[in-house]
Amino acid sequence: MLPLQMFTHPRVASSRFSRQACSFLSNRFHIRKSMSMSTLTSRNTAGSNESSTDRRPGMSQYRLIEDVEDLDIYHPGVYHPLQVGDALDNARYRVIDKLGYGGYSTIWLAQDLRKARYVAVKVITADASGYTQEASLISSLGNAPSRPERGVIPPLLDEFWVAGPNGRHKCIVTPPAQMSLFDTKESSKLALFRPKVARSIIAQLIHGPLTNGIPAQVFVPGWFGVRCEDIDISDERIFLNDFGESFNPNILPEFYSKALSLLQPPEARFSDEPLSFASDIWTLACIIWEVAAQRPLFDAFFPAADRVNAEQVEALGVLPPEWWEKWSAKLD
């Protein structure tokens, strides 16, 4: 099964990308808080039991930088520290900017020096690298007889491993895209695509398949996009990406949805049956609404499960009886 969490940030491909790619490099430093710089043991001053180096348990030793991944997760088993300018896979790829990150990977814009092209390199966390099936899923979709028209699924260009202070990391190489649909709507005050563009994007969605180890610098993801109302019908081609949590229900039954809570179908919470392709149809419908409308269908500010279910009932009516009985908070 291909959970449609991948549709929450589909990226729009554009021929303008290659002309913009080198213009948005960002070098932001992170520094340790002065409180945690010292590694000395506590030392009492005269008449005092307070330590000059104590730090409250659970407090991050790094400053929070907006749009940058949590630096405390740079430890063995998780992220691989990369810098703009780094070389990967025997110097075939040169990192030139950052595209994004998630709990499963960081994604970088790179130059393929062997073939003179731009690529997106997804560097997966060390722990997830041992079990991820993302590369094989992308390859299988690309080789399927019913492959979607116009290349909605980006081809798998390459895969390799990189070793670092936090472990061995699998890297997946695909063509880059200009921006996510989410980002292009967020950059706009109007938050509406032109009608022909929205219809084209929806058509593509429907026809598609369902300490050591801390980087010395961090990079805010580059912005290569435009506002949604400025996208022309000639630029509306999309890529469906981020297959890290995808699975085939005919091979591996799953009972827990990893889609964003606002996009999860009610059966993900109330049904005792494994998730199926029908669950993807629900999420696809939510994405179609978000593309065509100004705001999402479900838009709870704090999307706790009960709040999301309440919005679902408000919009669509009561749940089926067997699910309604299981919802203990339905009268709150």
Side-chain angles (χ1 to χ4, degrees):
M1 176 173 168
L2 303 177
L4 288 185
Q5 63 178 18
M6 70 181 79
F7 288 148
T8 56
H9 299 286
R11 291 184 174 272
V12 178
S14 171
S15 59
R16 288 188 297 237
F17 181 88
S18 60
R19 296 199 296 271
Q20 295 182 353
C22 295
S23 302
F24 297 89
L25 296 183
S26 174
N27 296 330
R28 266 186 144 177
F29 294 86
H30 75 263
I31 58 176
R32 290 177 178 267
K33 293 183 178 181
S34 58
M35 177 181 296
S36 61
M37 286 289 289
S38 174
T39 58
L40 299 176
T41 57
S42 301
R43 181 176 59 188
N44 293 340
T45 57
S48 173
N49 291 324
E50 296 181 355
S51 167
S52 61
T53 59
D54 281 348
R55 182 163 57 87
R56 292 194 300 274
M59 177 183 290
S60 172
Q61 57 182 327
Y62 301 104
R63 291 183 180 178
L64 176 65
I65 301 177
E66 188 175 2
D67 296 326
V68 170
E69 62 273 17
D70 184 356
L71 297 175
D72 287 300
I73 304 181
Y74 276 95
H75 60 71
V78 198
Y79 290 136
H80 175 63
L82 273 180
Q83 302 287 294
V84 167
D86 282 357
L88 296 170
D89 195 26
N90 297 317
R92 174 176 177 175
Y93 302 104
R94 183 171 66 88
V95 177
I96 61 173
D97 205 346
K98 185 177 183 181
L99 293 176
Y101 68 92
Y104 164 83
S105 64
T106 56
I107 306 94
W108 300 83
L109 179 66
Q111 285 181 314
D112 182 347
L113 301 178
R114 186 179 302 173
K115 295 192 175 182
R117 61 185 177 183
Y118 292 110
V119 296
V121 179
K122 173 179 281 192
V123 184
I124 299 171
T125 59
D127 286 345
S129 292
Y131 63 80
T132 178
Q133 301 180 45
E134 181 167 5
S136 60
L137 282 167
I138 295 174
S139 181
S140 297
L141 289 169
N143 295 326
S146 59
R147 182 174 180 176
E149 298 179 0
R150 303 180 65 193
V152 175
I153 303 297
L156 179 67
L157 301 178
D158 194 10
E159 54 182 315
F160 60 90
W161 289 80
V162 61
N166 295 330
R168 295 184 73 247
H169 306 260
K170 190 167 189 177
C171 300
I172 298 173
V173 182
T174 60
Q178 185 177 3
M179 61 209 167
S180 72
L181 298 183
F182 174 83
D183 288 338
T184 191
K185 296 193 77 169
E186 284 290 294
S187 69
S188 167
K189 292 182 179 179
L190 186 61
L192 280 172
F193 292 101
R194 297 176 186 179
K196 288 184 178 179
V197 173
R199 286 197 294 269
S200 176
I201 293 172
I202 291 169
Q204 292 177 69
L205 290 175
I206 293 174
H207 291 124
L210 298 182
T211 47
N212 289 331
I214 308 293
Q217 291 178 293
V218 293
F219 300 86
V220 175
W223 166 250
F224 308 107
V226 296
R227 296 175 301 179
C228 57
E229 65 266 28
D230 294 331
I231 296 178
D232 189 76
I233 190 65
S234 62
D235 293 325
E236 91 307 350
R237 178 184 170 189
I238 65 170
F239 282 156
L240 305 182
N241 54 19
D242 197 0
F243 295 87
E245 299 293 349
S246 301
F247 62 95
N248 186 336
N250 297 320
I251 299 175
L252 179 67
E254 290 281 353
F255 294 84
Y256 175 72
S257 173
K258 294 183 180 179
L260 296 176
S261 56
L262 288 171
L263 302 177
Q264 290 183 11
E267 61 263 33
R269 183 180 183 193
F270 299 114
S271 176
D272 296 326
E273 297 296 321
L275 295 173
S276 66
F277 289 109
S279 304
D280 275 352
I281 297 300
W282 173 283
T283 309
L284 172 60
C286 292
I287 297 301
I288 290 174
W289 179 285
E290 188 166 349
V291 169
Q294 194 169 37
R295 299 187 63 83
L297 179 58
F298 308 117
D299 196 20
F301 186 72
F302 292 107
D306 286 328
R307 181 60 213 161
V308 173
N309 292 141
E311 289 198 5
Q312 292 169 345
V313 169
E314 184 179 358
L316 303 173
V318 297
L319 300 171
E322 64 272 23
W323 297 348
W324 185 256
E325 293 176 358
K326 295 181 179 180
W327 187 18
S328 59
K330 59 179 175 288
L331 299 179
D332 290 350

